[in-house]
Amino acid sequence: MTDPANDVADNLAEIKTRIDRAAAEAGRPAGAARLIAVSKVQPVEKLEAALAAGHRLFGENRVQEAKAKFPAARERYPDIELHLIGPLQTNKVKEAVALFDVIQTLDRPKLAAALAEEGRKRGRLPRLFVEVNVGDEPQKAGIAPADLPAFLAECRDMHGLTIDGLMCIPPADQDPAPHFALLRDLAEQHGLTEVSMGMSGDYEQAVRTGATFVRVGTAIFGERIKPAAHG
Ligand SMILES: *Cc1c(COP(=O)(O)O)cnc(C)c1O
């Protein structure tokens, strides 16, 4: 018989070992890449299992879902660090700024302006990463690599935003290696320290290429149950 709580704890331990091994293979120090446990659409017992195992770094891709789960969890575990890894609509900026420690999906000028305005009102903002559309896919969110220098300048000069890193989701049907290398090189060129890339199937490769955050869901928690409905 398998206990889902043990499974989550075992998976977390195994993946952290693999991350540190991949970092070592690339001559990077242990702890150079941190594991974001992507808890979206997972039952609350699995989130609880990860918390009980001592894990504190989580990613969610919807503001409403995160709002339903994390304020309660934070009352018991104030050291939770929560990253937004899904698209952010401007009408959710206020809630997102209140809830998340890091917003990884800054991907357009209008959102930069809305974040800056909310930051002025509150006197603080989460850390911000820009999402890069590394595969130049027409349907996908993110700033095209060619447009990144101008967008970063706009964030900084027009809006006074500090950008700490870059995030990407490479094309699903391609070898992620060149996309990971591109994101790392872009971060380096712009003096950005954080690089968020790699998911369940390719996080070790992302770590070897320079990821400082990997975002892993199913390899920790198992297959996601389908959300019942939007809302
Ligand atoms: C769901 C999600 C992940 C995790 O994907 P897995 O394949 O389950 O590890 C990572 N990043 C983003 C942006 C996601 O939406």
Side-chain angles (χ1 to χ4, degrees):
M1 282 221 324
T2 62
D3 176 345
N6 287 340
D7 288 351
V8 168
D10 289 350
N11 292 343
L12 280 166
E14 162 83 15
I15 292 166
K16 284 174 187 177
T17 301
R18 285 172 177 268
I19 287 171
D20 283 343
R21 195 188 303 145
E25 282 164 13
R28 306 178 66 205
R34 297 174 63 207
L35 172 60
I36 298 174
V38 178
S39 47
K40 66 181 183 196
V41 203
Q42 296 285 354
V44 143
E45 308 83 75
K46 295 200 176 180
L47 171 60
E48 286 299 326
L51 288 163
H55 197 77
R56 296 292 181 267
L57 176 54
F58 294 92
E60 286 280 342
N61 71 339
R62 296 170 65 96
V63 175
Q64 289 317 113
E65 188 184 342
K67 208 180 159 187
K69 294 194 281 194
F70 277 89
R74 270 205 173 113
E75 289 187 13
R76 289 174 296 128
Y77 301 98
D79 54 340
I80 284 174
E81 180 179 324
L82 186 60
H83 290 226
L84 179 63
I85 61 170
L88 178 57
Q89 296 165 275
T90 47
N91 64 359
K92 299 258 170 67
V93 159
K94 192 183 162 82
E95 287 173 296
V97 165
L99 190 57
F100 290 95
D101 300 292
V102 180
I103 293 174
Q104 295 204 358
T105 49
L106 172 50
D107 64 354
R108 57 199 193 279
K110 198 177 161 208
L111 182 56
L115 285 164
E117 192 189 329
E118 188 60 24
R120 279 190 290 275
K121 285 188 199 150
R122 290 193 152 243
R124 63 163 289 280
L125 276 176
R127 298 180 77 202
L128 302 174
F129 302 173
V130 169
E131 181 170 355
V132 181
N133 185 358
V134 285
D136 273 318
E137 295 172 278
Q139 82 289 3
K140 208 169 224 173
I143 299 290
D147 298 335
L148 184 65
F151 184 67
L152 289 171
E154 178 175 345
C155 287
R156 183 185 61 227
D157 301 334
M158 282 180 60
H159 302 299
L161 294 174
T162 300
I163 305 300
D164 285 340
L166 301 178
M167 174 275 207
C168 76
I169 307 169
D173 55 349
Q174 291 178 25
D175 176 5
H179 300 290
F180 289 161
L182 173 61
L183 195 72
R184 175 206 54 206
D185 290 348
L186 290 170
E188 227 165 70
Q189 281 163 28
H190 294 283
L192 305 173
T193 52
E194 306 295 359
V195 182
S196 173
M197 58 190 188
M199 317 203 317
S200 287
D202 53 22
Y203 65 89
E204 289 167 284
Q205 185 169 18
V207 170
R208 283 192 292 269
T209 313
T212 62
F213 289 102
V214 294
R215 312 178 306 265
V216 178
T218 48
I220 298 171
F221 297 112
E223 290 300 324
R224 284 180 283 275
I225 49 171
K226 280 235 169 70
H230 284 206

